[in-house]
Amino acid sequence: MKPVELKPGICWTGAIDWAIRDFHGYYIPKGTSYNNYLVLDDEPVLIDGVKLDFASTCIQNIEAVVPPSKIRHLIVNHIEPDHGGALSRLIELMPGVPVYCTQKGRDGLARFHDTSKWNFRVVKTGDTLNTGKKTFLFIETPMLHWPDSMMTFLREDRILFSQDGFGQHIASTQRFDDEFVACASMAELEDSVWDYYANILMPFGPVIKGKLEELGRLGVEPEMIAPAHGVIWRKEPGKVLRTYQDMAAGKTDERVVIVYDTMWGGTGRMAQPIMQGLKDEGMDCRVIKLRETPTSVAIKEFWRARGCIVGSPTLNGHIFPYVGQFLIYLRGLKPKNRIVGAFGSYGWGGVAVKEIMETFGELKLECFAETLTTNYAPALSDQAAAYEFGRKFAQAAREYHKKFS
Ligand code: FEO
């Protein structure tokens, strides 16, 4: 895709990755983009790189705007290889160019590239770069989501180059939020924002809250937010800022998701009356069988719901592996502000439900007092108990949800 102008003299020069579905294990059904930006001024500036596989595409886009040798400054907001991978190739075309990044960025880049000849300029929050008529303000954002991360605010044009923050894994010919919404919908765009946050940023809610406040203190009021993935927010930058504030504050839908797997159908047959009990209490509910669903999709559904009930059979004295994979992923994401419960089946020596609740206890989530187990296969009385379990869980989830309204 050719360069796209954000404003006169400010261009997207990145690449669209239509084919990718596995992003370091995170399933991204819509593909993604690697966004970088070129700002023309007395001294032209390139902001960020792209994934190495797309170096040639990016170079072609830059050359369509300005010869790379004319670029006078390179800002590296984030070093992860989906952005930093092509930096060596880019810097070859602009030898000696000053490279602006955080100290952690410099340290990390030295692990991915031979940086012995790179001309680093380490920056901190509040440092600026003047390129003639434009001023770039640097804002460190450590652990959003790597230690090196930072954002750059172009003051005169009020554009926040936000690296991974506010991004979405979407490959599309639309480069702006309003264009995407016209072709798809705001609900689809928002769902991609929730998906991205759930799988990449969930552990960093408190950091996000603090950084959003800091942006306000620094006078960063963007009229456009240009992330490193997905569409650029030019019509509704305030909407994605509010969505991030809401997620960091624990807001979500009043919904319960049942996440389970099953061996001979016993646990699966309990999921159905639990779902019915939830529904009959008026609770929105979704059901996910883990073996049929990418873990990252289950995580997004977890994050979009106030409550989650996890079901597992016991296999070889432990939790069922597909359920274990979900819980291991969840443990790393350190979720907060969710009410959780567990159910399952066993043949002898059932422990899966206990292990699920222990994981939830370690995560300090709101644990529903009751659990539900059945031996081998649920009898009618077990199914009736599962229905009641669903009803009571819905009541508890609704009560808990009130804390966030
Ligand atoms: Fe898109 Fe953290 O890299």
Side-chain angles (χ1 to χ4, degrees), residues 70-354:
K70 302 271 188 213
I71 294 171
R72 289 289 170 265
H73 307 276
L74 172 61
I75 295 170
V76 177
N77 282 322
H78 182 31
I79 68 168
E80 194 168 3
D82 52 326
H83 312 290
L87 287 175
S88 288
R89 288 273 311 276
L90 291 166
I91 287 174
E92 276 172 18
L93 303 175
M94 33 183 161
V97 69
V99 178
Y100 300 83
C101 64
T102 62
Q103 182 62 49
K104 293 280 187 192
R106 177 179 180 158
D107 297 345
L109 285 168
R111 304 298 300 174
F112 289 118
H113 304 265
D114 175 4
T115 60
S116 53
K117 293 194 174 60
W118 290 20
N119 179 15
F120 281 110
R121 305 282 168 88
V122 169
V123 295
K124 294 191 166 72
T125 297
D127 290 350
T128 56
L129 165 67
N130 188 279
T131 56
K133 300 172 198 65
K134 296 186 189 292
T135 317
F136 296 81
L137 169 70
F138 302 112
I139 304 130
E140 295 168 279
T141 57
M143 298 322 296
L144 284 183
H145 66 119
W146 274 26
D148 61 278
S149 302
M150 70 172 193
M151 297 186 185
T152 300
F153 184 56
L154 176 49
R155 267 190 186 140
E156 290 74 12
D157 297 280
R158 291 176 53 205
I159 301 176
L160 180 65
F161 298 97
S162 59
Q163 45 99 13
D164 283 333
F166 313 114
Q168 337 87 42
H169 283 309
I170 294 176
S172 69
T173 53
Q174 300 88 36
R175 293 270 36 84
F176 299 98
D177 54 348
D178 52 303
E179 291 177 346
F180 183 84
V181 169
C183 292
S185 69
M186 181 53 86
E188 187 175 337
L189 181 53
E190 278 190 322
D191 197 58
S192 294
V193 171
W194 277 80
D195 181 62
Y196 192 92
Y197 188 108
N199 282 283
I200 304 282
L201 298 173
M202 194 196 295
F204 310 116
V207 185
I208 289 167
K209 196 165 171 293
K211 277 292 154 190
L212 290 172
E213 288 162 7
E214 187 181 343
L215 289 179
R217 286 198 300 277
L218 289 167
V220 175
E221 291 176 4
E223 70 176 50
M224 204 179 286
I225 297 178
H229 295 289
V231 299
I232 297 156
W233 301 88
R234 76 173 171 191
K235 181 152 194 290
E236 303 214 45
K239 189 171 184 65
V240 74
L241 285 168
R242 283 192 299 280
T243 301
Y244 265 52
Q245 275 162 351
D246 286 350
M247 285 192 279
K251 290 194 177 166
T252 191
D253 295 332
E254 189 181 88
R255 179 188 300 152
V256 172
V257 60
I258 299 171
V259 173
Y260 78 99
D261 215 318
T262 192
M263 288 173 64
W264 290 104
T267 303
R269 287 213 298 282
M270 291 168 79
Q272 298 308 313
I274 294 173
M275 177 273 292
Q276 194 63 49
L278 289 160
K279 182 187 179 326
D280 288 353
E281 280 294 320
M283 179 61 68
D284 185 18
C285 178
R286 292 183 184 172
V287 182
I288 289 178
K289 184 179 179 186
L290 286 166
R291 216 179 320 172
E292 313 298 337
T293 311
T295 307
S296 53
V297 173
I299 290 292
K300 189 261 293 197
E301 293 298 337
F302 171 94
W303 188 236
R304 296 221 66 168
R306 177 60 66 205
C308 179
I309 308 174
V310 174
S312 175
T314 294
L315 174 66
N316 297 327
H318 285 291
I319 211 163
F320 198 56
Y322 291 95
V323 182
Q325 179 176 312
F326 170 78
L327 290 175
I328 286 170
Y329 191 4
L330 193 65
R331 201 158 55 189
L333 292 169
K334 299 182 179 63
K336 290 185 171 52
N337 306 317
R338 301 298 187 274
I339 181 168
V340 287
F343 68 102
S345 58
Y346 68 96
W348 56 99
V351 295
V353 167
K354 183 169 161 283

